[in-house]
Amino acid sequence: MAKTSVHFILKGKSDYKDLAPVFPKILKTALEISDQVPEEEEMEMIVQLNLDDLEQNRKPEGYIRKARIRMVFPLDRKEFYFQSYNNKIVDLNKIRDRTAAILDEAGIKYDRTEDDDIKFEFPVYK
């Protein structure tokens, strides 16, 4: 099974706390594009949990529920990415472009990469 992803790697002095003002817009836009906006109460909870961490300049949880897309904040660097398990259903290019526009408007510095052939690899235990 393959999945695709688009990555936004914070660079320079940009940090998690800089994402706080734009995080709700980024997440809501991505979920609207992927047609998976949760109920209003659940959405508010997801946004607030992430904002609490972002405002404290900590790595947030993101949106990692089993769905068409996920928003992941990896442990090893100041980055977030969107991943999809079916690029025929979700247009990551549209999510990429809208997210980039939001980050640019906010003055957040980042590098962008894409991976369109991530393979699931399962560890071999002996």
Side-chain angles (χ1 to χ4, degrees):
M1 181 187 319
K3 60 183 174 177
T4 59
S5 61
V6 59
H7 301 248
F8 296 88
I9 304 159
L10 302 179
K11 69 178 193 175
K13 294 184 180 185
S14 293
D15 215 334
Y16 289 129
K17 67 182 183 284
D18 300 319
L19 293 174
V22 296
F23 177 80
K25 186 174 184 179
I26 290 172
L27 181 60
K28 288 176 184 177
T29 299
L31 294 177
E32 287 170 0
I33 291 169
S34 64
D35 193 28
Q36 70 181 53
V37 179
E39 301 272 336
E40 186 175 339
E41 187 175 297
E42 182 182 356
M43 186 67 181
E44 287 178 25
M45 180 190 70
I46 294 164
V47 167
Q48 194 56 53
L49 286 172
N50 282 283
L51 280 179
D52 290 344
D53 286 330
L54 289 169
E55 289 167 347
Q56 297 297 317
N57 206 33
R58 296 186 304 236
K59 181 194 95 54
E61 177 183 314
Y63 185 85
I64 55 174
R65 287 149 179 78
K66 189 173 182 179
R68 291 179 181 163
I69 65 162
R70 292 181 178 175
M71 182 182 196
V72 179
F73 286 83
L75 294 172
D76 60 342
R77 63 180 169 186
K78 299 216 175 178
E79 165 189 4
F80 68 92
Y81 61 91
F82 292 99
Q83 67 180 202
S84 171
Y85 294 90
N86 188 336
N87 60 0
K88 293 177 184 175
I89 295 174
V90 177
D91 186 355
L92 278 183
N93 292 331
K94 191 180 276 189
I95 292 172
R96 177 200 62 212
D97 295 345
R98 297 255 181 95
T99 300
I102 293 167
L103 294 172
D104 291 344
E105 186 176 298
I108 297 171
K109 304 293 183 208
Y110 64 92
D111 285 325
R112 191 176 69 208
T113 63
E114 297 179 31
D115 190 344
D116 63 357
D117 193 27
I118 301 169
K119 300 288 187 207
F120 288 109
E121 297 193 20
F122 300 97
V124 176
Y125 297 102
K126 294 183 180 184

